[in-house]
Amino acid sequence: MNPAGDGGSWLTDYPLADIDLSIRLSELTRMRVAFDATGQPQHLIVSLTGDELFQCPMIVMQEVGRLFFNDDDAARLRTYLLKGGFLWVDDFWGSYAWDSWAAQIAKVFPPGEYQIVDLPVESPIFHTMFDLRRVPQIPGIGYWRGSAGGTSERGADSAQVHARGIADRTGRLMVLMTHNTDVSDSWEREGEDPAYFYRFSVEGYQVAMNVMIYAMTH
């Protein structure tokens, strides 16, 4: 069992983050986004063992501090990523959640075979559309309000944001891990509070556009 406050389920930030990101992607880039008859983006829940996985150029996982890969999950994710897929892992906080995630992704890519590295500022993922020097620390809006403007949801244990990755043999980034930040909340909650929007959503969308473009072009 994870300690109290370690995180929620994959439903965190769903579906509004998916909807808002898709709309902004269609506004800020020339990427084609599918909309349904009501004008809503056609986002998709993907199972690692479903055939639709291999139709997706990228996937996103949330709250991975409580995630568990069985053998089939790990094998399918490895195949997907080595075939050219891309995974972005976001919104997990503190050392316990990191250690839990590291143990699960090691089933996919053993550390002796594919290392997790801290991404340098020169990494192409920081420069595809916007020139960024960091991934900002973005708190969930509830924490931000309740802490009178705080950003580190686990106190000293999550004070530093980590942007880490796993690359394939050619150097293409396959897995992006934004740890100790909740970039996706900056999309989901963009319309709830103007102060939150200007403080966090602008940078959150800059990060997202860079990641999306990198994933679609590498």
Side-chain angles (χ1 to χ4, degrees), residues 129-206:
M129 182 173 181
F130 299 96
D131 284 320
L132 305 177
R133 299 194 61 81
R134 61 174 188 141
V135 172
Q137 185 162 72
I138 300 175
I141 195 170
Y143 179 85
W144 177 71
R145 286 170 170 164
S147 63
T151 62
S152 180
E153 293 194 9
R154 301 293 185 274
D157 192 38
S158 62
Q160 182 179 356
V161 177
H162 302 288
R164 293 169 170 156
I166 300 174
D168 68 13
R169 302 301 189 197
T170 70
R172 177 187 67 88
L173 195 63
M174 299 183 291
V175 183
L176 170 66
M177 295 156 276
T178 47
H179 177 231
N180 293 335
T181 187
D182 186 356
V183 179
S184 52
D185 215 51
S186 71
W187 323 325
E188 179 192 16
R189 306 302 187 106
E190 67 157 67
E192 294 187 23
D193 188 319
Y196 184 84
F197 176 87
Y198 287 111
R199 174 78 184 277
F200 301 112
S201 296
V202 174
E203 281 192 290
Y205 277 118
Q206 289 177 341

Side-chain angles (χ1 to χ4, degrees), residues 43-61:
H43 51 87
L44 178 67
I45 300 171
V46 180
S47 167
L48 292 179
T49 55
D51 291 340
E52 68 274 11
L53 174 67
F54 293 93
Q55 303 301 314
C56 299
M58 72 171 290
I59 57 175
V60 179
M61 294 182 183

Side-chain angles (χ1 to χ4, degrees), residues 2 6 62-67 91-92 96-98 100-101:
N2 290 358
D6 183 58
Q62 299 285 100
E63 296 279 10
V64 295
R66 297 181 63 182
L67 174 145
D91 190 14
F92 63 122
Y96 186 96
W98 174 262
S100 178
W101 161 252

